[in-house]
Amino acid sequence: MTPSAHLDTFTIDRLPAPADMPELLFDLPSLQFPPRLNCASELLDRWVERGQGGRLCIQGHDRRWTYAELQAHANRIARVLVDELGLVPGNRVLLRGANSPWLAACWFGVVKAGGVAVGSMPMLRARELRGLIAKAEISHALCDARLADELAAAAADSPALKHMLHFNGGGAAGSLEARAASKPAAFTNVDTAATDPVLIAFTSGTTGVPKGTVHFHRDLMAACACWPQHVLRATADDVFIGSPPLAFTFGLGGLLLFPLAVGASTVLIEKASPDALLAATARFRASVCFTAPTAYRAMAALAPGHDLASLRKCVSAGEALPGPTRALWKEVTGIELIDGIGSTELLHIFISAPEHLARAGATGLPVPGYRACVLGDDGQELPAGEVGRLAVKGPTGCKYLADERQRQYVQNGWNLTGDAYRIGADGQFEYQARTDDMIVSGGYNIAGPEVEEALLLHPAVAECGVIGRADEARGQVVTAFVVLKAGVAGDAAMAQGLQDFVKQTIAPYKYPRQVVFRDSLPRTETGKLQRFRLRSEP
Ligand code: 3UK
């Protein structure tokens, strides 16, 4: 085994025991990695060394950097971390900010210096930040000046956190930019082992203590070698854009690692509401877009007001893609969405369909490099057509930081994502629901997302969420929370109309016996419907 470069072995010491590790597969030629690997060298420095430093790399609302410029900023940040803040390889560094070029430069600065980057969602409050700092024993933080207050409040009673610098605050004296400006633009990356941790990504966990998932330098490069190469197939001429924060591995991969892996450019915008994302797509002539299914639905309604001629590939992940949303996006833009299921634990997408295989109701096929199957309650593989638990294996896998729940996610070497799936006659994997979200009503198993899909076909429905509510007679009763389009009244006649509509669209026993009208639905910052909150609503 090649030695670790980590002098601070906190993360390595808290990896799961060997017996609890997922089995790894490195079947593809592109997954043969050298023992020493720093992913910043591969993703960033490599282009400059090959004479491509002048290529456009990263844009934000007020800046535009080439590969050489991003490299110089990252190198200077690495210098500040090492020379001024005493960072040693293995230290954990919190990154806090909305997506921006400076946040990306900070990420690379940390990686170059051999640190472990810990992303954090911009909306997190002091209380939640305190939890992350304690769990990952974070010693350093690089924080957007506009989000400084909550972090300062967290830092006040977080003894582990000793060093903090701010960026995006106009370059004030003492800021990260000001200190970086006085540093040389050259830095020799720490010679990390391929299996040295580089990232702790916290799950968007809907319940319980957040879980930190550890990823190695090799894991990041493996993610770049699988889905992007075989399904997305973007080129150096593409311009990436999207909404997921870099703190969410969907965003880190889609908006930073994958574009840089192919020498393309990326647009990092702070506010990516549906309207803002469309406007930015037009302004930057973006060609590859990453966002969540609900955003595509909202964007479809607004698309006619924007010039989207540059757009050629659109990726949907984070939640099941309803067939009606796929159809709507195609109708409005002519683009077939690329659906893909990924997870924080597996880093990125592991089942997906390229455009020509896309079909309603199916997420797709295991991405080359991954294997997937559907397991029954006895842990045995189920034949096609039967609903069971999704199990996945590949070059990446779940490694929770000091967490008992490792044994729930990884069993017999397989990663169990917590999703109920079925394999269709054509071999494609068909999403049913989160395993905990399957509704059992009157003896029937009903998948909430299927009922949601039917409701979304109704012209009055903007958004909806379907859950099972405890019911004495039926065990659970199918309950739909519906947000209607502007100007439509949520009255008894509408409820009846929706129920009849569902009965005519899918098997009648699945229709929502209860319909509740709402102005909005509870969602996580990553766009996921919080079904547990709907379940506890009156
Ligand atoms: C659900 C999907 C159906 C599924 C993610 C792409 O979402 C990501 O990571 P999380 O850890 O959540 C994982 C869970 O989300 N899910 C995600 N995508 C789909 N369900 N169809 C989909 N296309 O329950 C999964 O287990 O927040 C997605 C890339 C990186 C990611 N981290």
Side-chain angles (χ1 to χ4, degrees), residues 35-50:
R36 311 300 299 179
L37 184 68
N38 184 313
C39 61
S41 311
E42 303 300 310
L43 295 168
L44 181 52
D45 303 319
R46 185 167 69 104
W47 298 107
V48 181
E49 279 158 23
R50 287 187 182 174

Side-chain angles (χ1 to χ4, degrees), residues 204 248-250 318-320 339-344 419 431 434 528:
S204 55
F248 182 24
T249 62
F250 179 39
E319 271 202 312
D339 187 9
I341 177 172
S343 74
T344 307
D419 297 293
Y431 178 82
R434 292 285 305 167
K528 287 193 213 310

Side-chain angles (χ1 to χ4, degrees), residues 121 201-205 213 227 248-254 258 290 293 315-321 338-352 362-363 390 409 416-421 431-435 437 449 524 526 528:
M121 293 293 184
F202 279 91
T203 60
S204 55
T213 66
W227 178 81
F248 182 24
T249 62
F250 179 39
L252 181 70
F258 302 164
F290 287 76
V315 181
S316 169
E319 271 202 312
L321 172 64
I338 301 174
D339 187 9
I341 177 172
S343 74
T344 307
E345 289 83 353
L346 283 138
L347 197 51
H348 220 272
I349 293 174
F350 46 82
I351 293 176
S352 179
T363 311
L390 180 67
Y409 205 95
L416 301 176
T417 63
D419 297 293
Y421 259 87
Y431 178 82
Q432 308 296 306
R434 292 285 305 167
T435 18
D437 288 339
T524 64
T526 58
K528 287 193 213 310

Side-chain angles (χ1 to χ4, degrees), residues 267-332:
V267 179
L268 294 177
I269 46 172
E270 302 189 353
K271 292 198 179 61
S273 60
D275 212 11
L277 184 52
L278 287 167
T281 300
R283 172 179 161 201
F284 293 99
R285 314 297 307 149
S287 56
V288 179
C289 178
F290 287 76
T291 191
T294 40
Y296 283 112
R297 194 170 166 85
M299 281 159 61
L302 304 168
H306 298 270
D307 172 11
L308 302 179
S310 59
L311 207 52
R312 70 183 196 98
K313 285 174 182 281
C314 295
V315 181
S316 169
E319 271 202 312
L321 172 64
T325 301
R326 176 186 282 291
L328 190 64
W329 189 250
K330 179 139 195 207
E331 191 183 304
V332 172

Side-chain angles (χ1 to χ4, degrees), residues 46-102:
R46 185 167 69 104
W47 298 107
V48 181
E49 279 158 23
R50 287 187 182 174
Q52 306 279 303
R55 285 184 66 88
L56 176 63
C57 180
I58 194 161
Q59 300 184 82
H61 72 279
D62 61 350
R63 60 195 85 230
R64 199 181 148 87
W65 288 340
T66 62
Y67 274 84
E69 285 168 329
L70 176 62
Q71 182 196 42
H73 287 301
N75 284 349
R76 292 187 166 113
I77 292 169
R79 280 255 75 94
V80 171
L81 287 168
V82 174
D83 297 352
E84 297 190 16
L85 305 187
L87 184 97
V88 303
N91 283 169
R92 277 75 55 220
V93 184
L94 183 80
L95 298 173
R96 173 164 167 82
N99 287 357
S100 75
W102 271 102

Side-chain angles (χ1 to χ4, degrees), residues 204-284:
S204 55
T206 42
T207 46
V209 188
K211 292 169 269 196
T213 66
V214 179
H215 296 287
F216 301 156
H217 286 267
R218 182 185 68 197
D219 298 327
L220 272 52
M221 297 318 297
C224 293
C226 293
W227 178 81
Q229 288 295 308
H230 294 96
V231 181
L232 182 66
R233 290 176 294 120
T235 73
D237 295 326
D238 276 307
V239 179
F240 287 57
I241 199 167
S243 66
L246 296 183
F248 182 24
T249 62
F250 179 39
L252 181 70
L255 301 179
L256 193 59
L257 309 180
F258 302 164
L260 270 61
V262 296
S265 74
T266 186
V267 179
L268 294 177
I269 46 172
E270 302 189 353
K271 292 198 179 61
S273 60
D275 212 11
L277 184 52
L278 287 167
T281 300
R283 172 179 161 201
F284 293 99

